[in-house]
Amino acid sequence: MLAHSQDSLKRTPLHSLHVSLGGKMVPFAGYDMPVQYPAGVLKEHLHTRIQAGLFDVSHMGQIRLLPKSGRIEDAARALERLVPQDIVAIAKGRQRYAQFTNADGGILDDLMVANFGDHLFLVVNAACKEQDEAHLRANLSDDCVIDSLADRALIALQGPKAEAVLAKFCAEAPAMKFMDAGPHEVAGIKCFVSRSGYTGEDGFEISVPAADAERLAKMLLDNPDVLPIGLGARDSLRLEAGLCLYGHDIDTVTTPVEAALEWSVQKSRRSSGARAGGFPGAEKILAHFDNGASRRRVGLLAEGRAPVREGALLFADSAGGEPIGKVTSGGFGPSLSAPVAMGYVPVSLSALGTKLFAEVRGQRLPLAVAAMPFVKNTYKR
């Protein structure tokens, strides 16, 4: 059964490279992916924080929205029917974080949207990419040609030395600022490059034709400052950065306001804005903006050394009482050398420093609501 299960998994264009590098392969979002390499999760995590790490994120979905009218603003206005963000205001060569929402205000997926001048370029989560593409086709086909770019790989180069590494292959890289995005040549290969990532570190995401992916990855890995990084360290890095993982920290029953993602919804789409509402679940989401939500995603720092994992129930008291929330992501933060977690609690218990208790193996461990990110980000503004 195990062999059959492994055979049924999809493989990214870098699969052979992962195996040759000693990657420990595990099923993830329908793909056979490296969870770690021989260096181990701890070293991979710290190396990314200090130097640079290379991640295979080719399992993510890449989609192009081409306006049938030829006017990019028409594609932007069409996409605004599905997300609460201001897409019209994304300048050419820039990228923005967004969420697909449902009729109840919940989040169907989170995504990145870039303006490439004549079309919008979207990157969506691996586990949701088929339903996201279907969602786009069902709602935007009258206005846009929707292309799934299945022939492209996606790699992320993250860390304080990422710029110096990429500059050897892409002369424009040093001039890029956080959330700049567009077509660039990397080592003579026509790529799409954004100065972004999901680690809290400065870095780049590079969309490359699948046929060129391994060659480019090997060139980047030839630099002694770069190590291959697996899913284990990717998860601990994004947790320290206070970034949501879809299906865990955000889902179909969580609004952007509950998820503490208000910053991602521009004023133009909020009540009294120039293009207020008009997206799925607008009534509930805007009510949360105007009147507040009853719960909120918060950072949590444990007092001891024991990690508090996803699913742990949260309590207001050290004994007795009903659960007041639960942990949605948690683990050990190598950069802090301490446990870190995120979870949902009533707004009345969401103030920084509020003491709570997590139930771990029948015991209630003390922790406190903490500011996020847990590790200061190093984005190049």
Side-chain angles (χ1 to χ4, degrees):
M1 280 186 69
L2 180 60
H4 176 76
S5 176
Q6 291 294 113
D7 289 344
S8 67
L9 294 172
K10 299 175 185 176
R11 294 181 172 183
T12 75
L14 296 181
H15 186 273
S16 294
L17 180 61
H18 299 316
V19 173
S20 71
L21 293 171
K24 180 181 178 182
M25 309 302 288
V26 299
F28 181 80
Y31 283 79
D32 196 27
M33 298 290 289
V35 67
Q36 66 179 74
Y37 297 89
V41 173
L42 180 64
K43 185 173 181 180
E44 291 172 27
H45 177 113
L46 295 175
H47 187 92
T48 303
R49 289 270 183 252
I50 297 167
Q51 298 185 72
L54 189 71
F55 303 74
D56 181 11
V57 285
S58 304
H59 57 308
M60 306 281 278
Q62 302 180 60
I63 300 171
R64 178 173 61 182
L65 294 187
L66 190 68
K68 291 183 176 180
S69 68
R71 297 186 299 270
I72 191 66
E73 60 268 25
D74 291 340
R77 287 182 182 275
L79 185 56
E80 285 189 0
R81 299 200 299 265
L82 302 182
V83 304
Q85 282 70 34
D86 186 338
I87 306 301
V88 173
I90 304 175
K92 181 181 177 182
R94 293 289 290 166
Q95 179 174 256
R96 176 163 284 171
Y97 174 71
Q99 306 96 34
F100 288 125
T101 53
N102 62 24
D104 294 323
I107 299 171
L108 293 171
D109 195 13
D110 58 343
L111 65 152
M112 301 301 294
V113 183
N115 180 345
F116 278 9
D118 63 345
H119 69 276
L120 298 178
F121 175 66
L122 279 54
V123 177
V124 301
N125 281 303
C128 304
K129 61 184 180 182
E130 284 84 8
Q131 68 190 46
D132 287 349
E133 182 182 342
H135 187 51
L136 289 165
R137 292 189 185 283
N139 290 281
L140 305 189
S141 288
D142 288 346
D143 302 289
C144 301
V145 175
I146 297 144
D147 288 335
S148 174
L149 306 178
D151 59 344
R152 303 190 73 85
L154 189 64
I155 56 180
L157 182 67
Q158 302 281 289
K161 295 191 177 180
E163 179 186 291
V165 172
L166 190 60
K168 295 178 181 179
F169 304 99
C170 178
E172 298 95 342
M176 295 178 71
K177 299 288 175 56
F178 181 58
M179 297 297 262
D180 280 352
H184 293 281
E185 281 201 5
V186 182
I189 304 166
K190 292 182 178 180
C191 298
F192 310 144
V193 182
S194 66
R195 193 155 195 162
S196 60
Y198 225 61
T199 62
E201 293 295 328
D202 181 27
F204 302 85
E205 291 185 314
I206 306 163
S207 171
V208 55
D212 298 309
E214 184 171 323
R215 180 164 63 94
L216 178 57
K218 285 180 174 178
M219 284 190 281
L220 294 170
L221 287 168
D222 278 342
N223 190 308
D225 289 332
V226 183
L227 277 184
I229 312 295
L231 293 172
R234 180 173 172 84
D235 191 53
S236 56
L237 287 159
R238 71 92 195 164
L239 176 56
E240 286 186 345
L243 298 169
C244 295
L245 178 62
Y246 188 78
H248 300 258
D249 308 294
I250 50 176
D251 53 31
T252 57
V253 295
T254 304
T255 72
V257 177
E258 291 173 318
L261 298 174
E262 295 98 328
W263 58 268
S264 73
V265 181
Q266 291 70 37
K267 290 182 179 179
S268 61
R269 306 303 310 279
R270 302 187 195 182
S271 300
S272 302
R275 294 187 309 288
F279 50 87
E283 183 176 357
K284 183 172 182 178
I285 292 170
L286 295 183
H288 278 184
F289 269 107
D290 297 338
N291 308 314
S294 62
R295 64 178 186 138
R296 186 167 184 80
R297 178 176 64 95
V298 297
L300 300 164
L301 285 177
E303 291 185 7
R305 300 281 295 171
V308 179
R309 306 287 183 185
E310 176 184 353
L313 296 177
L314 297 170
F315 295 83
D317 301 298
S318 59
E322 294 296 315
I324 53 89
K326 73 174 183 176
V327 171
T328 53
S329 284
F332 187 75
S335 306
L336 300 174
S337 190
V340 292
M342 296 190 291
Y344 284 82
V345 301
V347 169
S348 60
L349 295 172
S350 66
L352 296 182
T354 301
K355 191 168 184 178
L356 301 171
F357 298 86
E359 191 169 79
V360 178
R361 298 189 187 92
Q363 291 185 309
R364 293 194 185 179
L365 305 182
L367 38 72
V369 175
M372 295 185 290
F374 300 106
V375 174
K376 185 179 180 180
N377 64 54
T378 63
Y379 307 138
K380 184 176 179 178
R381 303 284 185 180

